[in-house]
Amino acid sequence: QVQLVESGGSVVQPGRSLRLSCAASGFSFSTSAMNWVRQAPGKGLEWVALILRDGSNKFYADSVKDRFTISRNNFKNTLDLEMNSLRTEDTAIYYCARDKDVYDSSRGGFDIWGQGTMVNVPS
Amino acid sequence: SSELTQDPAVSVALGQTVRITCQGDILREYYASWYQQKPGQAPVLVIFGKNNRPSGIPDRFSGSNSGNTASLTITGAQAEDEADYYCNSRDSSGYHYVFGTGTKLTVL
């Protein structure tokens, strides 16, 4: 069935690195733009990063730019998020989500979500 | 950067109609999408584009747009509609996204 499954979350000390992964199945991953979205404990949703379907273009929120790197493997149907120089404010549940149509907002939206993986950067 | 503002909390009596709004200048340029999130669960897309529902979303959910405001309307709210609701749209660059501040809906 249509599914996204995140993994890799853990407790990590400030300044260290962590890599999250998202495994996709049940839909055409290679033709889908993909996003990472996070949610700090008790807080709202925050968009983190977007990668277009061929991986050629990547976009980041200002809060993670130059620290996080989004990547994908269309042969393995996986999406990754490499997180460096982690800060306490990066503590959140990280979700991967498919972008229905990155080029046309009238058809857009994040229509497939994973269950999330928790990253904890303690102070 | 673009911002999307929502009322923090809204309540509705069971079976009545409620409108949740999302305001931001970027909505004059791009459509919003709407997400329902229940405690401990991932968000679910409920409305996208002008007024489109993904498969499986009840037709009591509808969307509308006017100027810098996008609205999500639930006609005949049910107990299971109690959740947090977020709007989302692109920012002026077109390839960055922003989520609204979120609205907690209580069904009385």
Side-chain angles (χ1 to χ4, degrees):
Chain A
Q1 73 273 28
V2 172
Q3 199 172 10
L4 292 169
V5 179
E6 301 94 338
S7 61
S10 73
V11 179
V12 58
Q13 293 303 307
R16 303 297 292 268
S17 299
L18 191 67
R19 189 178 188 92
L20 305 182
S21 291
C22 170
S25 59
F27 67 96
S28 178
F29 179 78
S30 64
T31 61
S32 299
M34 297 295 298
N35 296 271
W36 285 98
V37 176
R38 68 184 181 183
Q39 186 169 37
K43 302 297 184 182
L45 300 172
E46 179 186 15
W47 174 78
V48 173
L50 162 69
I51 186 168
L52 300 189
R53 55 191 179 187
D54 64 356
S56 60
N57 290 287
K58 308 172 185 182
F59 306 90
Y60 300 93
D62 289 345
S63 58
V64 306
K65 188 176 172 62
D66 298 327
R67 297 189 300 122
F68 289 12
T69 301
I70 189 172
S71 61
R72 65 190 297 159
N73 184 322
N74 286 345
F75 296 103
K76 295 183 178 179
N77 287 353
T78 57
L79 175 74
D80 288 343
L81 185 68
E82 180 74 28
M83 304 185 294
N84 298 319
S85 302
L86 281 162
R87 306 167 179 168
T88 56
E89 55 264 37
D90 295 319
T91 294
I93 297 173
Y94 284 74
Y95 297 99
C96 59
R98 185 180 80 156
D99 203 315
K100 284 180 73 286
D101 191 328
V102 71
Y103 301 106
D104 184 349
S105 69
S106 71
R107 298 197 302 260
F110 300 174
D111 65 336
I112 304 171
W113 294 70
Q115 84 291 347
T117 188
M118 182 70 200
V119 174
N120 187 359
V121 188
S123 55
Chain B
S1 62
S2 305
E3 294 182 349
L4 296 176
T5 302
Q6 300 179 236
D7 291 329
V10 172
S11 61
V12 60
L14 184 67
Q16 296 304 300
T17 297
V18 62
R19 175 174 291 183
I20 298 170
T21 61
C22 172
Q23 287 190 303
D25 287 340
I26 201 63
L27 298 178
R28 298 182 186 277
E29 191 172 350
Y30 296 110
Y31 285 103
S33 51
W34 288 93
Y35 303 84
Q36 176 192 70
Q37 186 180 34
K38 297 181 180 179
Q41 298 184 19
V44 173
L45 178 67
V46 294
I47 290 289
F48 65 95
K50 189 174 184 179
N51 180 17
N52 301 291
R53 285 176 288 105
S55 174
I57 301 302
D59 61 5
R60 63 179 179 272
F61 290 89
S62 63
S64 62
N65 304 272
S66 179
N68 73 337
T69 301
S71 300
L72 172 70
T73 300
I74 307 174
T75 304
Q78 302 299 302
E80 60 264 33
D81 299 334
E82 187 163 288
D84 294 327
Y85 290 85
Y86 296 91
C87 59
N88 170 264
S89 187
R90 302 156 195 263
D91 77 359
S92 54
S93 76
Y95 289 105
H96 288 65
Y97 287 99
V98 59
F99 281 94
T101 49
T103 297
K104 182 177 181 60
L105 176 66
T106 300
V107 179
L108 303 172

